[in-house]
């Protein structure tokens, strides 16, 4: 019996060990569930996005654009030999780079042949004039002879009448009448010949006058050719390459040298059409038509022009004036050429500071339009097409439609839709959610920079 009892106790003990641990674990779980506390509720807070902002100022805007171009002489003289001949004298200053005053005799072509031609034609004219004087004397002689012949005719006709009366009385023979009548006819013939000769005098005079006129034209041409043997500077200039020397034989049409006027130079700057358009106010753009004269176009633009030449150690500036627009648009760059004129580029020389402005120099050109007062400006990056983003009084983002009128450098001018002092968001707010909270970070350096650019105090970039 004892072994059976022991076996039963062991079986019960094993079953109890299987049941008790799960019961204990279940009790612990129940206790934990009943003794735990509920979750703490936290009120949600809106997070503000940090962004750079500026207050839009109103400034006296000076529209400016930058272009580049090469300097060229306003007046260029290409000296060409107009007559042929040997060079007999050359001025010692006839060298490349020399400054020459107006009227300076630079070279002389041998004038001997042209002087002979002038003398020959002068002699021809003198001969023709002598023949005209001879014709005048001949005319006077013919007039006197005609008068005598007419008197002789009168006497002959009177004598013929008397003889006819005698013939009627049969006092003289018929042959005497015939001889007297023949004498009358000869007198009439002489008178007719004189009258014909006198009638031809005007035609002979016209022929002589025409000959004198032709000789006079030839004389003037010969005198011009003689004058052309001397080559003088037509204006104050600076010589370019010289291609002649003393003793050289020149042919008509041969290029001798080039010279560039020193009274003024031109700079042909290249600008995009939208750059030039930005210099005009809305009122002036309406007046801009294709049939405007150059004078009205100059008045319309009314530009202040500065030409700059930079080197590693210095910068030179020349005031210039708007002269004209070129006739066409560059087909490659789609730019318009604006020709600017600088007067007296040599008299404005400052040694070590401003050199002479000579052809071939590559310069920058700044065009300034008249100031536009009280113009609202914003950073260029703040404008997104036809709108920008501003902050309201609660520091929340709002979308504001605007009308930009000018984009220049780092700023844009706003024509409509924005009041001065409005806080404008400069940073990119993408994604831009209307009404989202903004942490404003004022960019004082940016607003200072665009203000100086707009008022013309900072250097403009292309």
């Amino acid at each position: 019996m004892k072994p059976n009892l022991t076996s039963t106790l062991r079986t019960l003990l094993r079953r109890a060990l299987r049941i008790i641990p799960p019961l204990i674990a279940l009790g612990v779980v129940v206790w934990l569930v009943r003794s735990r506390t509920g979750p703490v509720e936290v009120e949600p807070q809106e997070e503000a996005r940090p962004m750079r902002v500026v207050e839009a100022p109103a400034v006296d805007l000076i529209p400016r654009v930058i272009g580049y171009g090469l300097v060229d002489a306003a007046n260029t003289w290409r000296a060409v030999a107009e007559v042929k001949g040997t060079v007999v004298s050359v001025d010692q200053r006839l060298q490349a780079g020399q400054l020459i005053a107006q009227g300076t005799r630079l070279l002389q072509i041998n004038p001997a042949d042209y002087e002979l031609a002038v003398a020959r034609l002068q002699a021809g004219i003198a001969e023709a004039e002598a023949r005209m004087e001879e014709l005048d004397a001949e005319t006077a002689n013919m007039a006197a002879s005609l008068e005598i012949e007419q008197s002789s005719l009168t006497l002959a006709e009177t004598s013929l009448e008397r003889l006819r009366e005698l013939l009627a009385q049969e006092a003289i023979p018929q042959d005497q009448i015939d001889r007297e009548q023949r004498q009358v006819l000869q007198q009439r013939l002489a008178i007719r010949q004189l009258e014909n000769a006198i009638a031809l005098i005007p035609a002979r005079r016209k022929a002589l006058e025409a000959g004198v006129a032709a000789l006079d034209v030839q004389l003037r041409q010969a005198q011009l050719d003689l004058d052309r043997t001397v080559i003088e500077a037509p204006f104050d200039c600076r010589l370019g390459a010289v291609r002649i020397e003393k003793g050289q034989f020149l042919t008509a049409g041969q290029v001798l040298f080039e010279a560039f006027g020193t009274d003024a130079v031109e700079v042909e700057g290249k600008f995009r059409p939208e750059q030039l358009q930005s210099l005009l106010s809305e009122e002036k753009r309406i007046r801009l038509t294709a049939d405007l004269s150059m004078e009205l176009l100059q008045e319309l633009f009314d530009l202040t022009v500065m030409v700059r030449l930079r080197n590693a150690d210095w910068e030179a500036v020349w005031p210039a004036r708007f002269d004209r627009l070129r006739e066409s648009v560059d087909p490659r760059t789609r730019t318009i050429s604006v020709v600017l004129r600088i007067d007296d580029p040599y008299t404005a020389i400052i040694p070590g500071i401003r050199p002479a402005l000579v052809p071939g120099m590559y310069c920058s050109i700044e065009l300034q339009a008249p100031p536009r007062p009280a113009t609202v400006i914003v950073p260029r990056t703040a404008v997104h097409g036809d709108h920008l983003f501003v902050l309201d009084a609660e520091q929340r983002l709002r979308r504001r439609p605007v009308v930009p009128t000018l984009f220049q450098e780092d700023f844009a001018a706003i024509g409509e839709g924005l009041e001065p002092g409005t806080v404008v968001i400069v940073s990119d707010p993408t994604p831009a959610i209307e009404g989202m909270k903004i942490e404003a970070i004022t960019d004082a350096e940016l607003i200072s920079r665009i203000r100086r650019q707009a008022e013309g105090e900072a250097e403009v970039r292309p």
Side-chain angles (χ1 to χ4, degrees):
M1 289 297 293
K2 286 184 179 181
N4 292 334
L5 180 60
T6 302
S7 177
T8 301
L9 290 173
R10 289 178 177 174
T11 301
L12 292 174
L13 183 57
R14 284 198 297 270
R15 291 179 178 175
L17 291 174
R18 293 174 181 174
I19 296 173
I20 291 174
L23 293 175
I24 294 173
L26 179 60
V28 171
V29 170
V30 171
W31 178 79
L32 290 174
V33 170
R34 290 181 177 179
S35 62
R36 71 176 182 177
T37 58
V40 179
E41 294 185 0
V42 179
E43 183 178 352
Q45 295 184 352
E46 184 179 3
E47 183 179 356
R49 289 180 58 182
M51 291 189 181
R52 292 183 301 123
V53 299
V54 296
E55 284 190 9
V59 300
D60 292 337
L61 172 63
I62 301 178
R64 302 182 296 167
V65 296
I66 286 289
Y68 295 91
L70 289 173
V71 178
D72 196 6
N75 298 308
T76 300
W77 173 38
R78 193 179 188 192
V80 176
E82 297 181 86
V83 294
K84 65 181 180 179
T86 303
V87 178
V88 293
S89 68
V90 176
D91 191 283
Q92 61 181 359
R93 291 168 295 177
L94 189 60
Q95 299 175 5
Q98 286 282 2
L99 292 171
I100 304 297
Q102 180 180 0
T104 301
R105 177 177 291 194
L106 298 174
L107 64 90
Q108 169 80 59
I109 297 173
N110 191 341
D113 292 340
Y114 304 100
E115 290 173 343
L116 290 174
V118 169
R120 183 170 57 253
L121 289 167
Q122 287 174 338
I125 291 175
E127 179 185 3
E129 289 176 345
R131 291 175 62 187
M132 291 179 65
E133 292 177 359
E134 180 183 358
L135 182 62
D136 292 339
E138 184 179 349
T139 302
N141 291 335
M142 286 182 181
S145 298
L146 179 61
E147 185 177 353
I148 294 171
E149 292 294 338
Q150 287 175 339
S151 297
S152 297
L153 176 62
T154 301
L155 292 174
E157 288 176 342
T158 302
S159 177
L160 179 61
E161 288 298 325
R162 285 199 303 268
L163 291 176
R164 283 176 177 172
E165 290 176 358
L166 292 174
L167 178 64
Q169 298 172 8
E170 297 181 355
I172 59 173
Q174 179 64 39
D175 60 340
Q176 190 174 353
I177 295 295
D178 295 339
R179 287 195 299 271
E180 191 65 28
Q181 191 167 4
R182 186 179 300 111
Q183 182 67 27
V184 170
L185 293 176
Q186 289 176 350
Q187 286 298 122
R188 288 177 178 173
L189 177 61
I191 291 174
R192 177 56 58 88
Q193 289 175 343
L194 284 173
E195 288 176 343
N196 290 340
I198 292 174
L200 291 174
I201 292 294
R204 292 172 61 188
R205 173 174 289 279
K206 287 184 179 179
L208 287 174
E209 290 175 347
V212 170
L215 289 173
D216 185 63
V217 170
Q218 294 177 33
L219 177 61
R220 282 185 287 172
Q221 181 62 55
Q223 189 63 55
L224 282 176
D225 291 341
L226 179 59
D227 294 341
R228 287 166 179 167
T229 61
V230 177
I231 296 181
E232 298 179 348
F235 46 76
D236 294 344
C237 57
R238 189 171 191 175
L239 295 177
V242 178
R243 306 178 182 87
I244 59 170
E245 58 186 17
K246 185 177 180 180
Q248 181 179 347
F249 182 82
L250 304 179
T251 59
Q254 181 175 342
V255 179
L256 309 178
F257 55 85
E258 285 187 344
F260 309 100
T262 57
D263 62 329
V265 294
E266 293 181 343
V267 184
E268 187 173 313
K270 306 289 186 179
F271 296 91
R272 299 187 304 277
E274 60 271 18
Q275 285 181 300
L276 297 179
Q277 186 181 26
S278 69
L279 298 174
L280 298 175
S281 62
E282 292 295 333
E283 177 186 354
K284 290 184 176 181
R285 291 180 191 179
I286 296 174
R287 295 169 54 194
L288 190 60
T289 58
D291 58 349
L292 276 179
S293 66
M294 198 56 64
E295 290 76 13
L296 291 176
L297 195 62
Q298 292 172 347
E299 179 184 349
L300 193 63
F301 272 92
D302 188 22
L303 299 175
T304 300
V305 184
M306 304 300 293
V307 175
R308 287 186 174 86
L309 179 66
R310 287 187 174 87
N311 202 335
D313 302 322
W314 50 265
E315 175 183 304
V317 181
W318 291 266
R321 57 185 172 87
F322 173 78
D323 190 63
R324 63 189 184 277
L325 294 177
R326 286 296 302 272
E327 70 284 355
S328 61
V329 175
D330 189 315
R332 185 174 60 86
T333 61
R334 298 298 178 186
T335 56
I336 297 175
S337 295
V338 178
V339 180
L340 311 165
R341 188 180 180 94
I342 301 171
D343 295 320
D344 300 324
Y346 284 82
T347 58
I349 295 175
I350 303 176
I353 299 177
R354 183 163 59 193
L357 197 58
V358 297
M361 286 183 170
Y362 187 70
C363 302
S364 66
I365 304 161
E366 179 178 337
L367 307 181
Q368 294 184 6
R372 301 176 188 175
T375 301
V376 179
I377 62 170
V378 297
R380 191 167 185 163
T381 55
V383 180
H384 306 277
D386 60 352
H387 67 278
L388 46 73
F389 297 104
V390 301
L391 287 186
D392 63 9
E394 298 178 357
Q395 301 294 296
R396 296 187 178 277
L397 180 145
R398 302 297 176 191
R399 186 178 185 275
R400 180 74 58 85
V402 293
V403 179
T405 58
L406 171 66
F407 288 94
Q408 185 172 302
E409 300 182 87
D410 298 328
F411 69 89
I414 305 300
E416 299 177 11
L418 195 67
E419 296 295 327
T422 303
V423 179
V424 178
I425 297 174
V426 180
S427 301
D428 185 4
T430 305
I433 302 173
E434 184 80 13
M436 69 180 183
K437 192 73 172 179
I438 300 297
E439 179 185 345
I441 302 173
T442 301
D443 194 334
E445 190 278 331
L446 176 59
I447 196 64
S448 174
R449 183 170 73 249
I450 67 171
R451 181 187 286 272
R452 286 186 290 108
Q453 290 177 357
E455 293 176 343
E457 298 176 0
E459 183 178 349
V460 66
R461 297 192 302 272

